Amino acid sequence: MRLDRVDERIIAILGADARTSFAEIGGRVGLSPSAVKRRLDRLVESGAVRGFTVVVEPKAVGWTTEAFIELYCRARTSPSEIRQGLEGYAEVTSACTVTGDADAVVQVRARDTQHLEQVIERIGAEPFVVRTKSTLVLSRLVDRPVLAGASEVSGNG
Amino acid sequence: MRLDRVDERIIAILGADARTSFAEIGGRVGLSPSAVKRRLDRLVESGAVRGFTVVVEPKAVGWTTEAFIELYCRARTSPSEIRQGLEGYAEVTSACTVTGDADAVVQVRARDTQHLEQVIERIGAEPFVVRTKSTLVLSRLVDRPVLAGASEVSGNG
DNA sequence: TGTGAAAACTCGGGGTC
DNA sequence: GACCCCGAGTTTTCACA
């Protein structure tokens, strides 16, 4: 779907606070509340906006450990096979196939290093995994769940 | 802050859909709407819940390229120096210091490979950066912005 | 924590440009 | 095709018990 400037501004506003009311958004982008709603409905309908969620501070919820796990897979392992193998793990926050030595990079969050170790072992035991290489996150510097303001700067390229 | 089971369930429900009404949540966790609101207010107040946001499908917004950039920094570069250098980039979605060969891992999203190349060049030119090593994301397999259902399974470890 | 009432918001229909 | 206005129904909010 094609987004215009107003759509992008609506997304940027909701990215900062998804509970902003239609009236408030309308006031900022120069549209009536119902026009904003119609646009948002279309954005959700078309899949540009996948949904609405809370941003949790994992430390505050007791999940203090974070890591990247690089996966080296068996020859001819398909991406969908990897996805199916990983989506059952609640600890996996993100996974993707990549260029370079490894076949995939998995990001996990765990309560502590002991919990992380268990997760690495379990993932390493998946049938399509040959070996893993883990990198522990020391401290998080930047964390922008949504492209905060990305649409604002999308003209600079 | 200390979360009890009900708080965790409220977060899990909002993680799946942040627009779920207090009445709906209350019905599921066995609380009145106002009790749910009071708990959520406390969670936001305490910082356990950082905010509410939309989940955007970056492809649909025209950002089709994603990469990991490993940073090798000058000796004695502090994490806060890296953070300050990176937080100005709208393309940076996440950054953290890590164990292993590299000092930090930066995740970026760009419109296309050309745009990505520019970002890599600009980051590589930061004074604290000695060299970078980039890994392009081929296909995204799992993407859970919040620990979807993490609290539901937090007992198994 | 629950109750209840006032205020704010959402949502859909009808009409206009 | 996209917008605005407006009314009915729902949700949020807040004082009080």
Side-chain angles (χ1 to χ4, degrees):
Chain A
M1 124 161 226
R2 212 175 164 70
L3 297 124
D4 66 13
R5 279 301 155 88
V6 178
D7 290 324
E8 292 178 347
R9 288 180 63 197
I10 292 174
I11 288 176
I13 291 168
L14 289 170
D17 180 6
R19 292 192 309 180
T20 311
S21 73
F22 294 144
E24 167 84 25
I25 299 170
R28 288 204 231 164
V29 303
L31 241 49
S32 74
S34 39
V36 175
K37 177 181 163 12
R38 286 171 66 106
R39 276 170 179 268
L40 182 57
D41 286 347
R42 248 194 9 183
L43 290 168
V44 172
E45 185 81 23
S46 73
V49 168
R50 288 214 321 238
F52 303 82
T53 181
V54 288
V55 184
V56 177
E57 184 60 54
K59 286 200 196 90
V61 193
W63 292 57
T64 60
T65 308
E66 198 179 346
F68 293 94
I69 306 177
E70 290 173 76
L71 258 44
Y72 294 77
C73 298
R74 244 184 18 211
R76 290 185 300 286
T77 300
S78 70
S80 71
E81 194 176 344
I82 302 175
R83 181 175 43 71
Q84 281 168 32
L86 294 175
E87 66 189 0
Y89 292 86
E91 293 89 352
V92 172
T93 57
S94 151
C96 45
T97 53
V98 293
T99 61
D101 296 336
D103 297 302
V105 172
V106 182
Q107 286 181 64
V108 301
R109 267 216 241 257
R111 278 188 300 287
D112 46 45
T113 46
Q114 197 184 336
H115 182 191
L116 175 64
E117 187 173 27
Q118 287 174 14
V119 174
I120 293 171
E121 267 179 41
R122 282 195 287 148
I123 290 178
E126 290 288 340
F128 56 85
V129 176
V130 173
R131 68 187 184 90
T132 64
K133 183 185 162 195
S134 303
T135 303
L136 199 64
V137 169
L138 294 175
S139 74
R140 187 148 276 288
L141 307 171
V142 178
D143 191 10
R144 285 199 272 256
V146 91
L147 290 167
S151 41
E152 315 262 289
V153 296
S154 66
N156 68 354
Chain B
M1 128 161 219
R2 216 177 160 69
L3 298 122
D4 66 12
R5 280 303 155 87
V6 177
D7 290 324
E8 291 178 347
R9 290 180 62 196
I10 291 173
I11 289 175
I13 291 169
L14 289 171
D17 180 5
R19 293 193 309 181
T20 311
S21 73
F22 293 143
E24 167 84 25
I25 299 169
R28 288 204 233 163
V29 304
L31 243 46
S32 73
S34 40
V36 174
K37 178 185 170 358
R38 270 195 291 259
R39 276 171 179 266
L40 181 57
D41 287 346
R42 253 195 22 223
L43 289 168
V44 173
E45 184 82 23
S46 73
V49 168
R50 288 215 322 240
F52 302 82
T53 178
V54 288
V55 184
V56 177
E57 184 62 53
K59 286 200 197 91
V61 194
W63 292 56
T64 60
T65 308
E66 198 178 346
F68 293 94
I69 307 177
E70 290 173 76
L71 258 45
Y72 294 77
C73 298
R74 244 185 17 212
R76 289 185 301 285
T77 300
S78 69
S80 72
E81 194 176 343
I82 303 176
R83 180 174 44 70
Q84 281 167 33
L86 294 175
E87 65 189 3
Y89 293 85
E91 294 89 352
V92 171
T93 58
S94 150
C96 45
T97 54
V98 294
T99 61
D101 296 336
D103 297 303
V105 173
V106 181
Q107 286 181 63
V108 302
R109 267 214 242 259
R111 278 188 301 287
D112 46 44
T113 46
Q114 198 184 336
H115 181 192
L116 175 64
E117 187 173 27
Q118 287 174 15
V119 175
I120 293 171
E121 266 178 43
R122 282 194 287 148
I123 290 178
E126 291 288 340
F128 56 84
V129 176
V130 174
R131 69 186 183 89
T132 63
K133 183 186 162 194
S134 303
T135 304
L136 198 66
V137 168
L138 295 174
S139 74
R140 188 148 274 290
L141 306 172
V142 178
D143 191 9
R144 283 199 274 258
V146 90
L147 290 166
S151 42
E152 316 261 288
V153 297
S154 67
N156 69 353

